Amino acid sequence: MNDSQHLPSPGLESGPSSAPASTLGPTPPQRNLMRRVVMIEGITVLFLALGAAIWFAADALLLIFACILFSVLLYELSVIVRDRLKINRQLALVVVLLLLVAVIGLGGWAMAPQIAEQSSALAKQLPASIERVQDMVKAHPMLQHVAQQMPSTKEIVGSLQRFAPDAGLLFGGVLGTLANIVIIIAVGIYFASSPRVYTHGFIKLIPQPRRARAGEVLDTIGTSLARWLLGKGASMLIVAAILSTGLTMLGVPLGLILGIIAGLMDFIPYVGPILGGVPAVLIALSTSTDLALYTGLLLLAIQMLDGYVLLPVIESRSVNLPPALTIIMQLIFGTLFGFAGVALATPLTAVLVKLVNMLYVEDILGDRSDDSEPHDKDTSGHAQPRPS
């Protein structure tokens, strides 16, 4: 018998060492690659779904975010009252709501006749002021081309009349604006009365190993928004008071209502004070050019106070947003969502910055340095200068 018949055939040897490589499971590098591919695909699908939801339900999402902002403000105020009066937080929330109703009600009752009278006068004087500006532009030969491109007074006034009712959010029109306000107040009160119910419900959607971090992120965002809202509210009151007083001292008609408009528009950093100051300059221009110049100087001084004093104090206690980033986000959200997007762009940007810093820079990149923050904080909560 030939000895070759007794030799084992290649590939037919018994034992684990003779098994083909294809029957073995994927190697650890392959498993890591597969896991990364699946993760990337899942993140891509998630972003696509999130983008579609934002696109098709933008108005509802903005309204929900406005409700959250109001609830954060109420919660922070109730915490302050609780700490001062040493009472239950639920009772402190009731006290805050009663104080807000009393202040707004008494203020409205005291100033309602003057505000109503000045609002009616503003609606009548604003078209005349716009016409005067157009006449001044047409009087200069070098500005003839600009004058031809300007819309008519009727078109401008019509746009301004549609501006407030169609400011965005879920419902349009005057009644829709009132409905939006009612929804924000009602939902904000419910959120502020039992915030843990909603935050814990959201955290349960997160895998258990990440729930503690998710709670930390939510607490940080809530604290930053609360401090930003409190600071911005104080800034709005200061701007409204200073401008109303200054316009009245200068002799500008309708100083009270113009100051209130500027104070409300101050909620929008950088862009808001400019938009709020335009009606004041137009009304002053209807009296004299010198008065318009003095009004512009007053607005410039208030803008410098707001931008170089008030805003840095607010951001030092909340989140530091570069001016260019804030304006770019206002342009983006304004293009996508209208005036409501512009109004809510800054707090939305603050939330996005916190999410990126905590979930990406710290957790994924592992960089837990506080280079993005202007100051360190000691245990007492006061900002301390960063050591050089």
Side-chain angles (χ1 to χ4, degrees), residues 117-184:
E117 180 181 356
Q118 292 193 9
S119 299
S120 178
L122 179 62
K124 295 178 181 178
Q125 292 187 20
L126 197 57
S129 301
I130 296 174
E131 289 182 356
R132 178 165 182 175
V133 172
Q134 292 177 333
D135 293 338
M136 293 176 61
V137 173
K138 293 177 181 178
H140 293 274
M142 298 180 61
L143 299 178
Q144 289 293 331
H145 179 70
V146 177
Q148 294 175 359
Q149 300 296 326
M150 293 179 63
S152 63
T153 304
K154 185 177 180 180
E155 292 175 349
I156 296 176
V157 174
S159 299
L160 292 175
Q161 290 175 348
R162 294 190 300 268
F163 180 72
D166 296 334
L169 297 181
L170 190 59
F171 304 107
V174 176
L175 294 179
T177 302
L178 295 177
N180 289 330
I181 294 174
V182 171
I183 291 174
I184 290 172

Side-chain angles (χ1 to χ4, degrees), residues 232-286:
K232 181 53 66 174
S235 172
M236 292 167 62
L237 290 175
I238 292 173
V239 169
I242 293 177
L243 187 57
S244 297
T245 304
L247 293 177
T248 303
M249 294 176 64
L250 289 175
V252 178
L254 314 177
L256 176 61
I257 189 64
L258 292 173
I260 293 176
I261 292 174
L264 293 175
M265 295 300 294
D266 188 66
F267 183 80
I268 308 173
Y270 306 111
V271 179
I274 298 175
L275 297 177
V278 170
V281 175
L282 291 176
I283 295 299
L285 190 61
S286 64

Side-chain angles (χ1 to χ4, degrees), residues 196 199 214-224:
R196 296 299 177 186
T199 55
E216 181 183 352
V217 171
L218 290 179
D219 289 341
T220 302
I221 291 175
T223 302
S224 298

